[in-house]
Amino acid sequence: MLARIVTIAAILVVLVAVPPLLDIGWQNAMTNMLIASLFAVAFNLLIGQAGLLSFGHAAFFGVGAFATLHLMVVIEDGGLAFPTPLLPLAGAAGGFVIGAFAGYFATMRSGVYFALVTLAIAELFHSLAPHWDGLFGGEAGLSSMRMPWGGLIYGSPLEVYYLALGWTVLSVFLLWAYTRTPFGRLTLALRDNEQRVRFMGYNAHSTKVIIFAVSAMFSGVAGALLAISNETANYTLFSTHVSAQVVLHTFVGGSTVFFGPVIGASVFTLFAFFVSDVTRSWLLYQGLIFVLVMLYAPHGIGGLVDAHRRHWSQLRWSELAPAYGLAALSGLALSGATIFLVETFEVLFSPEYAAARRRADGAWPPFELFGLDWQAFGILTWAVPVLLAAAGLLLLPHARRALRQAWDGVLERTEADRAGSVSPELAGAAER
Amino acid sequence: MEFLIVSTLNGVIYGLLLFMVSSGLTLIFGMMGVLNFAHASFYMVGAYIAYTITALVDFWVGLLVAPILVGLLGVLVERYLLRRVHEHGHAHELLLTFGLAFIFEELVKLFYGDFPVNYAMPDYLRFPAFTVFGTDYPFYRIFIGLVAVAMFVALYLLLSRTRAGLVVRAAERLPSMAEALGHNVPLVFMGVFGTGAAFAGLGGAVAGAFFPTNPNMALELGVIVFVVVVVGGLGSLEGSLIASLMIGLFSSFAVGLDWSLAGLFSLVGLGEWARALGGVFTLTLSSISGTIPFLLMLIVLLVRPAGLMGERN
């Protein structure tokens, strides 16, 4: 527990102290990271706590953004003296109301049908918004300016960052505290055995509606922060792409661990910030990472971290380190081959290269990649990825075997440890 | 009258196209409970493969080869990816196919660019089938419809009249019983998944030559085919045909109608009041035609979750 508090405090100190030293691009990226993290944690309240997979959370994110913008417009017109740091309350209210309404219908179904209802609700918003000028500003959307309040003038992205930080930390703390309440525990029970919860006299449906509305409310806060940061919103906030991103973030981070979604959202937002400058194929890499995580680490990055934490005392690094080294080598070789191939294809199939070929009368001119020149049909060009892939594939079975052996050892020791710690108590009970 | 006939024609053809893509999904969903998010991607991949082969060889070869290749792709996806995550539950399978849809879209963008490609029917298919009210109705639209009808008949006969169909239906209803009787259920699943993918690929190959072939086509159709499957009912071929036609007709009629709630109110003399309120009251049916399938799906899910022709929830 102490270790956890220290970790969280250290992260908070970094989040507060570091951004002033960064440039504006980074500050914006950090703000987006906070927004994505809050959205993912709010989303994960449903799947992680109640076992409900929503594919339409963009609806509540978008509603939060539009509600906030409407309030911002009123403030800008001088119609209301509202403390602007409290703007996300509008997003929370919007998310909660729409979430309670949508949740009432969605939670009448479970499993894939639940996912489909939420998907349909988000699609309803997405197809209605561009035609509904009064509420969503039509296709152009709504825009407004951040109005100063007190000492806050929102002149720099840094102020917006700190506003987002404050709201994100508060909201994530509230969401965490919520899971510790008896009601939060009831939700967990609902996920594990709904029938039993009903027998105990609880109303399963209204419990689900409440948790849905709470999740939507905090998604609305995240949307509100985006509206404040961008000062504009349009119907694309409701698109499946937004719903898809939060699903990706949450599951790569790990939905079974409370802070898992934060890891996923941070990693992917920063990944987007770095990689989207370097390559056009960053969405492809993102998809590949997602599928690999689904296949090989079903509990996500957070799940992996959590497994190490739980078995910490039983980990023998002399066994694990070689296995991890082997896996890392194999992974590096395979990802190197993949990246090399993808980037080569991206060049060879690009309109720019087609134009270069036309200029060269149909010949295949050399192209530049990673700072080197390559021939389209050069042996080296194709030998590099083939050799990398071969090396990776050769190492892969060995790495997997070593990993399995090392972890079998860890689990065995944990088992033995548990048996050892339980037996004295049992012995004591027998004596009495 | 002209509006009525042309809208009906277009609606039926669009509905049949939807059926082509969703029939495979219906089978897969009904059997394996897997909501395959990548299904519309198979449709897109089919169109792109057919485009490539048409450019290299011939249109008809493309029409033949594309479904086969997409079917193989489906088999690979089922065998090496879906089966691996099966033990983690349906949500996991759904997430995996969702990631795959993402990858397919980006791969298509990688090789073919972010813009529509010029996949078109051969010139000798470019003639009017008949004339309605002075406008030529293209033959190729009828052709799309005919392929879909042929597919429905073939699938229906296959499922209801052959031994293979019997095994498939048995594996769908009671997998463990079918297994106990000596049928290789995983193999049946793989076959059905491949067949479903192949049908989606055929749909893409046929329709891509008429409608634009671009990297967004999977996304545009992806959610609509879910609507068809849900509205039609779990695993019901007839249901998905009816749902496809319904959605096709609704969409095609809605585009031409500028009805609004305000118009409805004016029937009882409240039109001015509703128009003054604005907002949802003045939205015309034509502008929200894209919304209708989702409204339909919501209503069906809430009123009759098993779908129009489905037997179980």
Side-chain angles (χ1 to χ4, degrees):
Chain A
M1 195 63 203
L2 185 72
R4 196 182 283 183
I5 292 173
V6 170
T7 317
I8 291 174
I11 292 174
L12 278 181
V13 168
V14 170
L15 285 176
V16 172
V18 171
L21 311 173
L22 304 170
D23 65 34
I24 288 185
W26 261 98
Q27 289 173 353
N28 279 328
M30 298 276 285
T31 308
N32 287 335
M33 190 182 91
L34 291 173
I35 295 171
S37 300
L38 174 56
F39 188 24
V41 174
F43 166 82
N44 192 40
L45 196 65
L46 275 180
I47 177 71
Q49 296 281 312
L52 296 166
L53 177 59
S54 158
F55 259 102
H57 247 49
F60 316 110
F61 187 71
V63 163
F66 278 105
T68 309
L69 270 167
H70 277 292
L71 184 59
M72 282 167 79
V73 169
V74 174
I75 297 169
E76 192 187 354
D77 294 342
L80 191 68
F82 188 84
T84 47
L86 299 182
L87 278 173
L89 288 178
F96 186 82
V97 171
I98 301 294
F101 190 70
Y104 179 81
F105 294 106
T107 52
M108 286 160 84
R109 305 277 161 249
S110 59
V112 286
Y113 286 97
F114 172 83
L116 285 171
V117 178
T118 53
L119 187 71
I121 289 169
E123 283 295 324
L124 265 181
F125 274 101
H126 186 243
S127 50
L128 273 179
H131 306 289
W132 199 332
D133 287 346
L135 208 52
F136 302 107
E139 287 196 24
L142 293 174
S143 301
S144 176
M145 300 273 275
R146 297 184 285 257
M147 284 291 118
W149 187 79
L152 270 174
I153 50 167
Y154 300 112
S156 70
L158 200 58
E159 283 175 82
V160 178
Y161 168 80
Y162 281 121
L163 185 74
L165 180 64
W167 275 97
T168 303
V169 170
L170 177 73
S171 305
V172 171
F173 173 76
L174 286 177
L175 281 166
W176 178 80
Y178 175 85
T179 64
R180 305 275 130 180
T181 61
F183 190 80
R185 296 288 166 189
L186 178 66
T187 328
L188 281 180
L190 202 63
R191 178 189 66 186
D192 296 335
N193 194 340
E194 185 172 335
Q195 194 126 18
R196 199 163 162 192
V197 170
R198 279 214 214 96
F199 271 147
M200 286 160 68
Y202 292 105
N203 185 335
H205 185 224
S206 55
T207 310
K208 285 188 195 171
V209 175
I210 292 172
I211 197 147
F212 194 102
V214 170
S215 167
M217 177 169 85
F218 285 102
S219 304
V221 173
L225 293 174
L226 188 77
I228 296 170
S229 160
N230 289 350
E231 301 185 303
T232 179
N234 71 1
Y235 73 101
T236 53
L237 279 183
F238 293 117
S239 69
T240 34
H241 183 73
V242 177
S243 300
Q245 284 295 330
V246 74
V247 173
L248 242 66
H249 291 169
T250 305
F251 283 92
V252 168
S255 72
T256 48
V257 186
F258 182 81
F259 283 104
V262 176
I263 302 175
S266 308
V267 167
F268 266 158
T269 323
L270 295 183
F271 181 78
F273 179 63
F274 280 120
V275 183
S276 64
D277 280 348
V278 188
T279 168
R280 268 179 297 177
S281 309
W282 72 276
L283 281 170
L284 176 60
Y285 295 125
Q286 190 182 306
L288 284 172
I289 293 173
F290 177 73
V291 167
L292 286 176
V293 169
M294 286 295 103
L295 280 174
Y296 295 108
H299 297 297
I301 303 172
L304 289 181
V305 174
D306 197 49
H308 286 87
R309 191 184 57 77
R310 273 186 287 127
H311 300 286
W312 190 254
S313 56
Q314 309 298 343
L315 297 182
R316 242 178 240 158
W317 288 103
S318 57
E319 281 172 20
L320 281 178
Y324 282 1
L326 212 55
L329 268 182
S330 165
L332 273 177
L334 284 174
S335 34
T338 312
I339 293 171
F340 193 95
L341 280 179
V342 168
E343 296 303 312
T344 308
F345 283 131
E346 191 181 303
V347 172
L348 290 181
F349 285 88
S350 67
E352 294 82 18
Y353 193 76
R357 280 198 64 196
R358 273 195 298 279
R359 279 198 301 278
D361 293 324
W364 298 79
F367 58 95
E368 203 211 298
L369 198 64
F370 311 118
L372 295 168
D373 276 335
W374 306 85
Q375 296 291 332
F377 288 103
I379 294 173
L380 198 63
T381 312
W382 301 101
V384 170
V386 168
L387 286 177
L388 276 174
L393 287 176
L394 212 64
L395 286 174
L396 192 62
H398 297 284
R400 292 182 67 175
R401 202 175 312 128
L403 276 176
R404 201 176 308 128
Q405 272 171 7
W407 267 94
D408 278 348
V410 171
L411 295 177
E412 222 166 80
R413 284 192 293 279
T414 312
E415 201 64 34
D417 197 42
R418 236 178 242 153
S421 69
V422 165
S423 54
E425 282 172 35
L426 285 179
E431 268 172 39
R432 258 180 274 139
Chain B
M1 195 60 198
E2 179 183 352
F3 171 70
L4 203 68
I5 288 178
V6 174
S7 294
T8 310
L9 266 173
N10 286 344
V12 167
I13 301 289
Y14 179 59
L16 286 171
L17 168 68
L18 281 182
F19 171 76
M20 252 200 288
V21 185
S22 50
S23 59
L25 188 66
T26 299
L27 280 181
I28 294 167
F29 190 37
M31 273 190 87
M32 307 159 72
V34 179
L35 198 58
N36 181 12
F37 262 89
H39 197 75
S41 306
F42 290 137
Y43 163 79
M44 174 178 68
V45 172
Y48 273 94
I49 291 179
Y51 159 69
T52 313
I53 294 176
T54 303
L56 293 175
V57 194
D58 177 56
F59 175 74
W60 297 101
V61 178
L63 228 51
L64 188 72
V65 174
I68 296 175
L69 289 181
V70 176
L72 283 176
L73 184 68
V75 167
L76 291 178
V77 165
E78 203 281 332
R79 175 68 187 79
Y80 291 102
L81 300 173
L82 265 184
R83 205 175 287 182
R84 265 169 196 264
V85 300
H86 182 73
E87 57 188 293
H88 299 302
H90 284 332
H92 228 88
E93 292 174 310
L94 192 156
L95 287 168
L96 184 87
T97 59
F98 166 71
L100 283 178
F102 217 87
I103 292 179
F104 283 135
E105 186 183 325
E106 294 303 320
L107 278 179
V108 162
K109 282 183 188 167
L110 179 69
F111 288 108
Y112 294 94
D114 219 341
F115 35 83
V117 294
N118 182 26
Y119 176 37
M121 64 195 116
D123 283 333
Y124 54 81
L125 287 177
R126 206 183 292 272
F127 59 87
F130 45 80
T131 317
V132 268
F133 302 101
T135 357
D136 292 338
Y137 199 81
F139 164 77
Y140 199 81
R141 270 181 186 269
I142 306 289
F143 177 70
I144 295 176
L146 287 178
V147 174
V149 170
M151 212 168 90
F152 174 75
V153 172
L155 260 179
Y156 184 80
L157 291 180
L158 193 74
L159 279 176
S160 65
R161 297 279 186 276
T162 67
R163 205 180 142 67
L166 199 69
V167 176
V168 166
R169 279 185 296 146
E172 177 188 337
R173 292 287 161 94
L174 296 163
S176 47
M177 179 71 92
E179 189 122 54
L181 288 172
H183 297 295
N184 188 346
V185 171
L187 191 73
V188 174
F189 278 1
M190 199 167 85
V192 168
F193 201 90
T195 313
F199 281 141
L202 177 65
V206 173
F210 189 81
F211 299 105
T213 297
N214 64 42
N216 289 329
M217 61 196 284
L219 199 70
E220 281 160 14
L221 216 60
V223 190
I224 302 278
V225 293
F226 286 154
V227 176
V228 170
V229 171
V230 171
V231 171
L234 198 68
S236 160
L237 212 57
E238 299 93 322
S240 85
L241 180 65
I242 294 171
S244 303
L245 290 175
M246 260 170 83
I247 290 170
L249 286 172
F250 278 158
S251 310
S252 119
F253 273 97
V255 169
L257 294 174
D258 54 356
W259 293 349
S260 66
L261 280 176
L264 195 68
F265 276 103
S266 58
L267 291 179
V268 288
L270 289 169
E272 282 312 308
W273 168 78
R275 248 180 287 279
L277 280 180
V280 74
F281 292 102
T282 48
L283 284 178
T284 59
L285 200 57
S286 55
S287 71
I288 59 159
S289 63
T291 314
I292 290 170
F294 305 112
L295 275 175
L296 189 70
M297 170 158 139
L298 275 178
I299 294 168
V300 167
L301 274 172
L302 298 170
V303 176
R304 193 179 152 77
L308 295 178
M309 304 284 281
E311 285 159 23
R312 60 194 164 137
N313 186 355

